[in-house]
Amino acid sequence: MGEYEHRERALVIGGGIAGLVAAWRLQQAGVEVEVLEARDRVGGRLWTASEYGPFPVELGAEFIHGDRVITWRFLERYGLRALDDPSQDRRYVGMKGRVFPSEDLSRPLGEGIFAPLARASEAWFAAGKPDTDLATALRWWPQEEGIDLTPQLWELWRTLASIGWSADLEEIGVYGDVEATYEGDGWRNWRIVEGQQALAERLAAELGTSVRLGCAVERIDWSEDSVCVVTTEGARRGDWAIVALPLGVLQSGAVEFVPGLPAELAEAIQRLSPGYSMKIVVEFTEDPWTPEIGCLFVTTPHGIWERPGLGFAAPEPVFSLLVGGSDARRLSAMGEEDAIREVVQALGAVLGQDLVGRIRQGRVVDWGRDPWCRGGYSFVPPGASGLRARFSEVVGGRLVFAGEHTSVERPSTVHGAIESGLRAAEQILEFRAAVTLGS
Ligand SMILES: Cc1cc2nc3c(=O)[nH]c(=O)nc-3n(C[C@H](O)[C@H](O)[C@H](O)COP(=O)(O)OP(=O)(O)OC[C@H]3O[C@@H](n4cnc5c(N)ncnc54)[C@H](O)[C@@H]3O)c2cc1C
């Protein structure tokens, strides 16, 4: 009695899915946690609009990619439901005033629509060629395979890079692409019926008062003894910090580390890329396309139109466009109204209709300009393979990093971010166990 008992305390910086999962795991293990989140909501890149109708409109992450990924464990825990996305069985391409099934382009290659991009990287890597960009590998690979590289195929691949990497083919590194295997995940896409953000909210509800919203971190002072985090709401002290900030935020220097991070980690932060992505949601006065189209890959801009209400009871004519890379940057520079007009005009040109007069409302979600994201989802440029792994090193026994960009095998996904949060929590628990044993 009366003896001072030190309860370990971890500060989790960033209340996206990676930070929340890390905090949840630590809390379960009896570590006191506090999540410091800049926004007035949790979830980060999990952000759902529910005002469009009786279905979720995802402003950030849309799908669970795969039926065997870790996300399902949390869906089960919280009783959340999933919908096998019907659009993936009715994928169309809209190009130069023509709409046709995506299989017309992918069937001659014998595999799924994304497969050639992976095949080209793997073949380049296996041939022992030096790291290069995906555009180079994709020009070389069809020659090796005797495939006719048509302009349509090339444009489709640009679209897949834009949505799959939030980047252009010329920016993506082949070796980095080979690192990310997504092995065993499965290939079907699922929507969370209650919306992706519900996942984050359920976790936050379990964490209760340990989650601080509107609390932007400005500086992280760390030493071998403790961590002090300076926020807009005052300073916080802890034994450890889990830094679950997006790569774009780390790269921007908006959060200062004192002392600076080790050179190897600082190099990884600067040389990996946060990507750039944008969602544009448009509600039309009536359906712009016929029911056989599930989703539509387009090339002006390079992106994909989805119908979020597809598979739900009463789908309103609400559509969303995901664009990445240079097309997203260009649209971002145009301003919201012009960007909406341009993409709707381009959609109309593909479908042979004037759709601009049929816009009921539109909205741009510009993740690259969002100060708490500053990107899209991360990718590895040429020459930067191996750098993601550097985030798994515990810095000075006090700082641990989490987030989608820290996942080597499943980056750029919700499930990769979840795994990174669990990994970060385990690192702290292992560290704690080692110290307890040693003392
Ligand atoms: C448009 C888009 C579509 C996507 N589609 C899919 C998809 O279909 N399927 C899929 O699996 N993945 C998808 N992703 C990727 C997925 O959303 C991310 O991989 C994942 O959500 C990242 O989680 P995170 O916790 O690492 O980062 P974040 O969710 O970005 O969390 C980081 C948190 O840190 C906070 N923060 C930032 N700065 C500060 C600060 N200074 N102080 C305190 N807090 C701060 C942020 O507000 C945020 O809450 C998509 C992403 C985007 C942008």
Side-chain angles (χ1 to χ4, degrees):
M1 286 286 286
E3 225 173 76
Y4 172 69
E5 192 189 320
H6 177 74
R7 181 141 185 246
E8 292 110 330
R9 187 172 151 76
L11 301 168
V12 177
I13 302 166
I17 194 71
L20 291 170
V21 165
W24 169 83
R25 175 71 191 97
L26 287 174
Q27 193 180 60
Q28 279 202 327
V31 177
E32 190 181 312
V33 288
E34 189 172 20
V35 179
L36 308 172
E37 167 56 48
R39 300 180 203 265
D40 58 4
R41 63 170 179 84
V42 289
R45 280 170 273 178
L46 306 189
W47 190 23
T48 310
S50 50
E51 65 269 23
Y52 289 96
F55 51 86
V57 174
E58 300 296 356
L59 305 174
E62 190 117 14
F63 298 114
I64 300 174
H65 295 304
D67 25 26
R68 293 186 290 277
V69 300
I70 196 160
T71 316
W72 292 96
R73 275 202 231 157
F74 290 89
L75 254 70
E76 246 167 62
R77 180 176 182 88
Y78 298 124
L80 297 172
R81 292 160 297 161
L83 175 81
D84 189 14
D85 171 43
S87 83
Q88 63 199 318
D89 301 318
R90 285 145 47 199
R91 287 173 164 162
Y92 278 71
V93 178
M95 216 182 261
K96 298 204 165 94
R98 222 164 62 78
V99 174
F100 51 91
S102 66
E103 289 93 55
D104 288 3
L105 289 176
S106 60
R107 199 183 300 113
L109 305 181
E111 278 180 292
I113 194 160
F114 276 93
L117 283 75
R119 294 284 159 275
S121 291
E122 283 159 11
W124 183 274
F125 182 77
K129 291 170 168 292
D131 196 5
T132 187
D133 59 273
L134 195 47
T136 302
L138 277 169
R139 279 197 205 92
W140 164 82
W141 178 73
Q143 291 169 15
E144 296 291 298
E145 298 288 313
I147 292 166
D148 185 18
L149 179 53
T150 61
Q152 286 95 328
L153 198 51
W154 187 254
E155 282 300 293
L156 176 67
W157 288 347
R158 297 199 84 80
T159 294
L160 299 184
S162 156
I163 62 177
W165 285 260
S166 67
D168 294 352
L169 285 175
E170 291 77 9
E171 297 177 296
I172 303 161
V174 164
Y175 278 30
D177 187 35
V178 173
E179 276 177 349
T181 65
Y182 306 99
E183 213 168 288
D185 292 357
W187 289 105
R188 287 200 72 77
N189 288 336
W190 304 75
R191 276 185 195 280
I192 300 179
V193 173
E194 293 81 0
Q196 293 270 355
Q197 203 182 325
L199 197 58
E201 280 166 1
R202 298 296 202 279
L203 277 159
E206 274 205 73
L207 288 163
T209 53
S210 329
V211 180
R212 299 263 176 281
L213 298 178
C215 185
V217 170
E218 295 172 329
R219 208 178 74 216
I220 301 171
D221 292 334
W222 58 281
S223 69
E224 288 191 358
D225 302 320
S226 67
V227 181
C228 177
V229 174
V230 179
T231 82
T232 46
E233 305 296 302
R236 300 283 198 283
R237 214 163 257 292
D239 297 287
W240 299 282
I242 293 187
V243 183
L245 295 168
L247 179 62
V249 170
L250 291 172
Q251 217 172 61
S252 73
V255 177
E256 191 189 358
F257 289 84
V258 181
L261 293 172
E264 292 215 323
L265 187 54
E267 185 196 1
I269 289 171
Q270 291 312 322
R271 287 184 53 203
L272 292 168
S273 175
Y276 199 111
S277 66
M278 178 185 275
K279 276 251 175 108
I280 300 183
V281 181
V282 183
E283 183 174 3
F284 292 102
T285 51
E286 58 187 286
D287 277 358
W289 71 46
T290 47
E292 73 267 14
I293 302 177
C295 59
L296 188 67
F297 294 102
V298 289
T299 53
T300 42
H302 294 94
I304 185 166
W305 284 95
E306 296 275 357
R307 180 179 191 141
L310 191 68
F312 288 83
E316 316 294 325
V318 177
F319 291 76
S320 68
L321 173 70
L322 171 63
V323 188
S326 58
D327 278 355
R329 284 196 177 85
R330 189 178 54 76
L331 289 166
S332 168
M334 291 170 71
E336 185 162 33
E337 209 172 301
D338 287 350
I340 293 168
R341 173 177 282 270
E342 169 162 325
V343 302
V344 171
Q345 228 158 24
L347 178 64
V350 159
L351 297 170
Q353 302 173 48
D354 176 11
L355 294 179
V356 174
R358 282 204 239 151
I359 299 173
R360 183 173 283 150
Q361 55 172 321
R363 169 179 192 179
V364 172
V365 181
D366 190 343
W367 288 100
R369 276 192 195 232
D370 179 321
W372 313 120
C373 178
R374 299 180 192 244
Y377 20 101
S378 65
F379 68 91
V380 183
S385 70
L387 296 185
R388 286 193 197 279
R390 293 190 186 171
F391 288 97
S392 304
E393 300 285 318
V394 181
V395 175
R398 298 287 158 192
L399 295 185
V400 185
F401 285 77
E404 58 85 8
H405 56 285
T406 72
S407 168
V408 177
E409 291 176 352
R410 296 183 177 83
S412 325
T413 61
V414 174
H415 53 284
I418 292 176
E419 286 181 346
S420 79
L422 291 175
R423 186 258 307 138
E426 291 309 324
Q427 283 178 301
I428 287 183
L429 295 176
E430 272 167 32
F431 193 82
R432 182 179 71 156
V435 170
T436 312
L437 275 177
S439 60

